[in-house]
Amino acid sequence: QVHLVETGGGLVQAGGSLDLSCAASGSIFRLEYMGWYRQTPGNQRELVAQMTRAGIITTGDSVKGRSTISVDSVEKTGFLQINGLKPEDTGVYYCHAFLQPLASEIPNYYWGQGTQVTVSS
């Protein structure tokens, strides 16, 4: 089986930095797309940042100028960094990736289970 696992969430201080990782596990040939989404209290899930295979990056308005997305194609792991954290950054962060498995599983988009991020004021 293939799946995504987010790590790096927890309680952080306002004004600090957040570093999240999204590791793809299983027999995987290629990670084609990586995206980060979040669901903040009282809001629908929204895009934080994404990167296509061609390297085109899209960043959500709420984190423009504060976020960095990157991918390690060898380790098949995605990363998200947010600087200058604000209390409104609090929420559950999810990674989203398109994976090409080596096994019989078909290529498809996968979601991680999410990691809670709480920013103290």
Side-chain angles (χ1 to χ4, degrees):
Q1 289 184 317
V2 298
H3 62 278
L4 302 172
V5 179
E6 303 98 336
T7 57
L11 180 63
V12 292
Q13 295 288 330
S17 298
L18 175 69
D19 292 280
L20 301 179
S21 299
C22 176
S25 299
S27 299
I28 301 170
F29 172 67
R30 191 186 304 275
L31 189 158
E32 299 286 355
Y33 160 89
M34 172 60 62
W36 287 92
Y37 293 76
R38 72 184 183 187
Q39 188 163 9
T40 57
N43 298 299
Q44 299 183 28
R45 188 174 300 186
E46 65 178 355
L47 174 70
V48 179
Q50 65 179 17
M51 177 185 291
T52 69
R53 182 184 179 183
I56 300 174
I57 298 174
T58 302
T59 305
D61 291 339
S62 62
V63 297
K64 283 185 176 179
R66 300 190 294 126
S67 67
T68 301
I69 184 171
S70 60
V71 174
D72 185 330
S73 60
V74 176
E75 297 297 327
K76 299 176 179 60
T77 302
F79 304 92
L80 175 69
Q81 182 179 72
I82 302 178
N83 300 313
L85 289 169
K86 307 173 182 179
E88 51 262 43
D89 290 322
T90 293
V92 180
Y93 286 70
Y94 301 87
C95 66
H96 187 220
F98 187 88
L99 305 177
Q100 294 187 348
L102 290 173
S104 60
E105 296 183 65
I106 62 172
N108 205 352
Y109 285 96
Y110 293 81
W111 285 97
Q113 291 299 307
T115 182
Q116 175 69 46
V117 175
T118 302
V119 182
S120 63
S121 60

